[in-house]
Amino acid sequence: TTGTPIGRSCSAQVACLTLLLLETKLRTLHPDFPPVLRYRDNFLVIPDSPDSVRGYNIERVQQVLSEISGMELTVEGAGQSLDFLECTLSISEGIPGVSLKQPVFSGYAGMSSPTSPAKLLDVFSPNTPRMLRSLVPNLVKKAAHYRLPATGTQFAHNISTIARTFLAKGYPINWWKHSLLRKASSLDLQGPARAGIKLAMTSPQPAVNEGPTM
């Protein structure tokens, strides 16, 4: 058999070590392979152009990584902008950018994979204010983390994404604004946070489709 045991206490560590060895093998056998980053079992290949990566088209990249790993790999996305985990990665004129993933407001609660806003408690739930007290500081930390270039402007853009989601859900501003600004102030980013909130409040608000009504 091949692979690593699943479910053991050290399974994840063994799998990670295995992939590290495979990455070394990749560089030995294909020294001209384009830059590639890995997060767990996700490979991110950095392109030189939309159509090719140092002479490797997307099919060749997929083939090489599949041969090295011994697994069938699928392409989850490609292009100048790509959603990866909780963030959006982009390339503009050769300059990389990172921001919080933009929420998708279509869909409805109860679907097989609800969109992010639909997963949040609705405004009528008695637990929503309590949820926001723990959620908001965490989201502000992510807004500061997922930003490249690491500027106040990019932070404001991320805060705007968060605020637009809250406004679309109908959450009263006094439920989340103070907590958001307090956490931003602890990061010395209160000014950009205020700018992000203002941007969200002056932007058209999408409607969150919560699903069919009876």
Side-chain angles (χ1 to χ4, degrees), residues 129 131-138 140 166 173-186 190 193 197:
M131 177 219 32
L132 288 172
R133 283 197 293 271
S134 60
L135 176 65
V136 170
N138 185 47
V140 174
F166 291 164
I173 293 176
N174 63 331
W175 284 9
W176 52 268
K177 181 179 178 180
H178 179 70
S179 176
L180 189 154
L181 291 176
R182 183 170 62 246
K183 184 61 181 180
S185 179
S186 73
Q190 188 177 90
I197 294 173

Side-chain angles (χ1 to χ4, degrees), residues 83-96:
D83 287 341
F84 185 72
L85 302 176
E86 296 180 309
C87 64
T88 296
L89 309 176
S90 60
I91 296 288
S92 178
E93 298 180 352
I95 300 174

Side-chain angles (χ1 to χ4, degrees), residues 7 24 65 107 111 138 171 179 196:
T24 302
L65 291 177
M111 63 188 293
N138 185 47
Y171 297 160
S179 176

